[in-house]
Amino acid sequence: MFELSLMCPEDRIEAVSDALDALDALSVSVEDADAQTDAEQALFGEPGMPPPKDGWQRSRVVALFPSEVAAREAQQLLVVQDFFVGCQVLGVAQVPEQDWVRLTQSQFAPVDITPDFWIVPTWHELPAQAVRSIRLDPGLAFGTGTHPTTRMCLRWIARNGASQPGQGNPLGRVLDYGCGSGILAIGAAKFGATDIDAVDIDPAAVESTVQNAEANQVTLKAGLPDKAQGEYQTVLANILATPLRVLAPLLCSYVAAGGHLVLAGILERQADELKEAYAPWLPLEVADTEDGWILMTARR
């Protein structure tokens, strides 16, 4: 296969991408041409919502074609179009053969949540300093420990759970709402929780949670949202700001007296709107921050 690489300003990305799609590109990707430099820009958006921008001020657009002939024909057709003004062809190059399994595995290294609590893919050895660990491979469900929102939730669990194995269950009864891979529920189990419900609207996430719990030799109950019943000492929800706003009365109803509500998937700029949404039930505060994302918590 062959890649056609282009440099495009922000206002040309949509037209160029649409044209490449019409020219039967196998895939089209857009990335910040200034990534890993001081000029790098962060663009955040939420699924189902319009993107904040189509791309960056200087975007590298890469289209994949099945042959060099197809890539060069696409290049020739693009450069004569009016909408290509301001764009630049960077070149056509053959995509080298890859061991894609090994390449994918190399992108998922062990992640330290605290100095002695680690998320470790199954193909890696456990770090020597890992007193506690979660074995987890990337899969169909969200949550591998690499995203700031997941790390902040797990840090909260580590701070508030049992500090040593066998020290009881300070987390109490736990609900992981929107469990994805089940990583937060499994983390709660690793820190002493024994009565854990993990729920998600996606049956594939529920199945992933069951499999990951078995692989980590922890006990929990996984199911669709109606599986959540009663009150919990710890309610965790790492989703996104929009569904968190909608779910405010439901999630707060699950928090027992003296219990904790822990929310993530929230951008720093969304803090005030989340505080306002939850104010009728619980007073949310920012408890942690990382890379533009925040963790918000409340106690009943």
Side-chain angles (χ1 to χ4, degrees):
M1 293 187 288
F2 286 77
E3 287 182 341
L4 169 61
S5 299
L6 311 167
M7 183 75 74
C8 300
E10 179 188 329
D11 61 353
R12 303 292 179 177
I13 293 167
E14 183 176 7
V16 170
S17 298
D18 288 346
L20 288 165
D21 185 56
L23 290 167
D24 296 327
L26 299 175
S27 68
V28 179
S29 62
V30 182
E31 58 192 50
D32 187 355
D34 297 312
Q36 310 301 320
T37 73
D38 292 340
E40 180 178 11
Q41 294 177 294
L43 295 183
F44 295 107
E46 293 191 9
M49 302 292 288
K53 293 182 179 180
D54 291 324
W56 294 266
Q57 292 179 357
R58 287 177 2 106
S59 291
R60 184 171 178 263
V61 180
V62 180
L64 187 66
F65 290 91
S67 68
E68 183 176 7
V69 171
R72 295 204 179 276
E73 284 180 352
Q75 173 187 329
Q76 292 167 4
L77 289 168
L78 279 175
V79 297
V80 297
Q81 306 302 319
D82 292 342
F83 60 75
F84 199 73
V85 174
C87 301
Q88 175 188 358
V89 175
L90 299 178
V92 172
Q94 186 173 12
V95 179
E97 290 293 328
Q98 294 272 15
D99 182 339
W100 293 107
V101 172
R102 188 177 298 276
L103 178 63
T104 300
Q105 290 181 346
S106 71
Q107 296 171 348
F108 291 92
V111 176
D112 59 320
I113 304 303
T114 69
D116 59 3
F117 177 36
W118 289 69
I119 312 300
V120 186
T122 56
W123 55 82
H124 279 280
E125 294 291 332
L126 284 175
Q129 62 269 46
V131 176
R132 286 184 178 87
S133 64
I134 298 176
R135 285 291 201 175
L136 198 68
D137 295 340
L140 293 177
F142 175 81
T144 60
T146 60
H147 195 275
T149 60
T150 308
R151 289 199 299 269
M152 286 189 292
C153 287
L154 290 170
R155 279 201 297 266
W156 186 94
I157 290 170
R159 286 196 301 267
N160 291 273
S163 59
Q164 295 294 329
Q167 281 193 341
N169 178 18
L171 295 173
R173 189 173 182 229
V174 174
L175 173 63
D176 180 2
Y177 198 99
C179 57
S181 68
I183 189 171
L184 301 186
I186 295 167
K190 294 285 185 175
F191 280 88
T194 56
D195 187 357
I196 305 166
D197 288 338
V199 302
D200 203 291
I201 61 173
D202 184 356
V206 174
E207 180 61 27
S208 178
T209 294
V210 171
Q211 293 175 358
N212 288 329
E214 291 174 352
N216 283 276
Q217 300 179 322
V218 301
T219 300
L220 54 78
K221 298 182 289 293
L224 299 176
D226 60 3
K227 185 82 171 181
Q229 299 289 334
E231 294 184 336
Y232 299 83
Q233 192 68 19
T234 303
V235 176
L236 306 158
N238 180 17
I239 315 176
L240 285 170
T242 298
L244 285 175
R245 286 197 302 271
V246 175
L247 290 167
L250 177 65
L251 293 177
C252 291
S253 72
Y254 288 130
V255 183
H260 295 273
L261 177 65
V262 181
L263 305 180
I266 308 163
L267 297 170
E268 287 180 341
R269 58 179 168 80
Q270 297 169 323
D272 288 342
E273 62 189 86
L274 264 295
K275 286 182 180 180
E276 181 178 353
Y278 280 76
W281 299 279
L282 290 171
L284 279 181
E285 296 294 338
V286 176
D288 202 353
T289 180
E290 184 177 338
D291 293 344
W293 298 89
I294 57 174
L295 184 79
M296 302 192 76
T297 62
R299 188 165 191 179
R300 186 177 294 284

